[in-house]
Amino acid sequence: MRTQVGIIGAGPAGLLLSQLLHLKGIDSVVLERQSRAYVLSRIRAGVLEQGTVDLLKTAQVGERLDREALLHGGIELAFNGKRRHIDMKGLTGGSVVTVYGQTEVTKDLMDARNALGGQLVYEAEDVTPHDFDGDKPRLTYRKDGIEHEVFCDYIAGCDGFHGISRRSVPQTALKTFERAYPFGWFGLLCETPPVHDELIYNNHERGFALCTMRSPTRSRYYIQCATDENVDDWSDDRFWDELRSRLPGDIAERLVTGPSIEKSIAPLRSFVAEPMRFGRMFLAGDAAHIVPPTGAKGLNLAASDIYFLSRALTAVFETGSNDLIDSYSAQCLRRIWKAQRFSWWMTSLLHRFPESSPYEQRLQQAELDYVTSSPAAATALAENYVGLPYE
Ligand SMILES: Cc1cc2nc3c(=O)[nH]c(=O)nc-3n(C[C@H](O)[C@H](O)[C@H](O)COP(=O)(O)OP(=O)(O)OC[C@H]3O[C@@H](n4cnc5c(N)ncnc54)[C@H](O)[C@@H]3O)c2cc1C
């Protein structure tokens, strides 16, 4: 098989790239290790920056999002039993975030690729990139016991943190930066109305909690948990009791509980691999970087990488200019590191760290008080949360 761009991974990054390239007349093949149903069953991000929404509209997948998504002009921070509102819209001159689940984004992209005859291979085993340091890169994989080869001009490694792309690069060519946090997030999804019409980030002595949602009838709640916690040890009732104990009184009273649809634990990690280009192979999204979800940046960074990558590949195929592919890595990393900083800061501000002293806990409370009472500090939070500009 021959294509212009061979894409590894059918998460949001790989599907969005494939769709944007198609609309520019560039063909691609997407190779995904899992089944379509498995990819769609993963419950992950839910908060989209305006830049991500604009890019999805450019990719012609904004119709259902326009109909169903919720626009949020603010968030709440709760600490010491108090709730404080951050007016993101007012502080940023009108910017908002859009609440629309990653599962829905993925489904919209899959449907669009199918409608346009996109080549997506699910359950592709042993996908391997070859010869990306030369002029003739290729991908190999196995499907239903048959070996296949895809010859291409470029490879896009959009295969997430555990993918093969980054691991195929010689370790001497790669510099990695990492921080693992001493806790995880226990998430529960249920078919109940959200407890509040904005997200509430709770700093509590028992640990962080987040009240978020996917729609007016579907809620997502998270509680900070130990890294060795086991989902099976947590009945729904135990989760609800723990969540209630971390919420301000009026919110705890209003919480509507119900049977869980999904429960999972995610470890929290910050990670960056540099650079993001190796000859004719590019890394994008979680394949190159991970952020803790506190700042809601993971999916949004995957989208901004794809903005830069689709533009760079379009320029090469349309004009033969290498300028944008040459600057791809540096341009992405500038924005990535700012999102890394913000995600680390939000995580540090809101969680209970096992090693933190009473002195450090007082500093945390002072910072929360400052952020929620100083317009300058609140503006810094707001402009990062709604998303920094792409350029
Ligand atoms: C449990 C969890 C919860 C999260 N919660 C949030 C959140 O609340 N907010 C937020 O902003 N972000 C969150 N994130 C992060 C966000 O979901 C990711 O940043 C986003 O999915 C990145 O998209 P991606 O396309 O780069 O990678 P992925 O979505 O990981 O997609 C990569 C794809 O590549 C496939 N793949 C992997 N290896 C191979 C291979 N060898 N061959 C072929 N295919 C392969 C995978 O099956 C997958 O479909 C969460 C992530 C996880 C894991």
Side-chain angles (χ1 to χ4, degrees):
M1 201 191 310
R2 156 105 212 137
T3 190
Q4 287 171 292
V5 182
I7 299 174
I8 312 177
L15 291 168
L16 182 57
L17 178 63
S18 170
Q19 176 74 357
L20 288 167
L21 292 177
H22 176 93
L23 295 173
K24 292 288 184 184
I26 300 163
D27 64 70
S28 62
V29 173
V30 182
L31 303 179
E32 165 62 48
R33 184 174 55 179
Q34 304 287 358
S35 69
R36 179 188 148 97
Y38 181 91
V39 172
L40 278 177
S41 71
R42 290 189 300 222
I43 307 297
R44 290 183 172 180
V47 176
L48 309 183
E49 297 173 353
Q50 190 57 45
T52 304
V53 171
D54 292 344
L55 195 60
L56 292 170
K57 289 184 178 173
T58 304
Q60 301 182 358
V61 289
E63 201 182 302
R64 192 163 69 97
L65 183 150
D66 270 341
R67 255 193 342 264
E68 295 180 10
L70 309 172
L71 299 183
H72 283 201
I75 56 170
E76 288 201 357
L77 300 186
F79 57 101
N80 283 340
K82 295 184 294 271
R83 289 163 52 200
R84 300 256 181 93
H85 184 244
I86 303 283
D87 175 14
M88 294 181 316
K89 190 171 179 182
L91 291 163
T92 59
S95 297
V96 297
V97 292
T98 298
V99 172
Y100 191 66
Q102 178 169 335
T103 315
E104 310 310 320
V105 172
T106 308
K107 181 173 184 313
D108 293 346
L109 284 164
M110 280 179 180
D111 290 349
R113 291 314 296 125
N114 287 337
L116 293 171
Q119 296 190 76
L120 271 71
V121 181
Y122 287 96
E123 296 174 85
E125 293 170 61
D126 280 338
V127 177
T128 312
H130 303 271
D131 305 332
F132 47 83
D133 49 349
D135 285 345
K136 292 191 175 72
R138 66 197 165 91
L139 295 167
T140 53
Y141 68 98
R142 192 172 57 255
K143 168 92 181 166
D144 299 329
I146 300 168
E147 304 289 337
H148 297 266
E149 206 164 14
V150 181
F151 296 92
C152 47
D153 298 308
Y154 295 97
I155 294 173
C158 303
D159 48 351
F161 182 65
H162 299 288
I164 186 67
S165 315
R166 193 182 67 249
R167 280 187 286 127
S168 303
V169 173
Q171 290 312 296
T172 48
L174 206 62
K175 190 158 184 173
T176 59
F177 304 84
E178 185 162 15
R179 171 158 196 197
Y181 297 85
F183 41 73
W185 275 21
F186 191 134
L188 180 149
L189 186 72
C190 72
E191 213 60 67
T192 56
V195 68
H196 189 55
D197 55 6
E198 289 181 342
L199 274 70
I200 309 177
Y201 289 82
N202 299 273
N203 172 293
H204 192 272
E205 63 191 18
R206 292 184 66 85
F208 169 74
L210 173 63
C211 306
T212 178
M213 73 282 289
R214 293 293 180 264
S215 77
T217 56
R218 187 170 274 204
S219 302
R220 179 82 167 154
Y221 295 101
Y222 292 101
I223 52 173
Q224 174 183 347
C225 65
T227 46
D228 58 358
E229 206 67 68
N230 187 343
V231 178
D232 297 334
D233 295 338
W234 284 75
S235 65
D236 288 0
D237 284 345
R238 185 178 171 204
F239 180 93
W240 292 122
D241 287 346
E242 185 58 42
L243 175 66
R244 253 193 229 99
S245 74
R246 299 182 188 190
L247 302 180
D250 57 331
I251 292 292
E253 266 174 39
R254 259 193 274 148
L255 182 71
V256 182
T257 62
S260 60
I261 308 171
E262 189 262 3
K263 284 189 279 196
S264 53
I265 293 179
L268 264 63
R269 188 196 301 266
S270 299
F271 174 86
V272 182
E274 295 182 354
M276 291 168 62
R277 176 193 175 186
F278 306 90
R280 284 178 174 253
M281 182 166 80
F282 303 87
L283 301 181
D286 278 18
H289 44 79
I290 297 277
V291 283
T294 329
K297 292 288 167 241
L299 174 57
N300 291 302
L301 278 182
S304 56
D305 288 356
I306 295 305
Y307 166 81
F308 291 120
L309 185 54
S310 60
R311 200 179 58 158
L313 290 170
T314 302
V316 172
F317 286 114
E318 280 183 353
T319 68
S321 165
N322 282 330
D323 291 355
L324 292 178
I325 58 172
D326 289 345
S327 60
Y328 167 74
S329 179
Q331 195 139 30
C332 288
L333 284 165
R334 251 189 102 197
R335 194 166 190 278
I336 288 160
W337 274 110
K338 289 187 193 123
Q340 287 283 338
R341 185 208 69 80
F342 178 66
S343 304
W344 159 82
W345 177 75
M346 283 283 278
T347 304
S348 308
L349 181 68
L350 290 162
H351 290 75
R352 190 52 54 124
F353 285 72
E355 75 275 13
S356 76
S357 64
Y359 176 82
E360 286 161 325
Q361 286 167 22
R362 284 284 197 278
L363 288 184
Q364 201 184 46
Q365 298 298 310
E367 187 156 16
L368 279 162
D369 191 14
Y370 174 57
V371 164
T372 53
S373 56
S374 152
T379 303
L381 189 165
E383 73 174 1
N384 280 277
Y385 196 90
V386 299
L388 295 176
Y390 279 12
E391 304 288 350

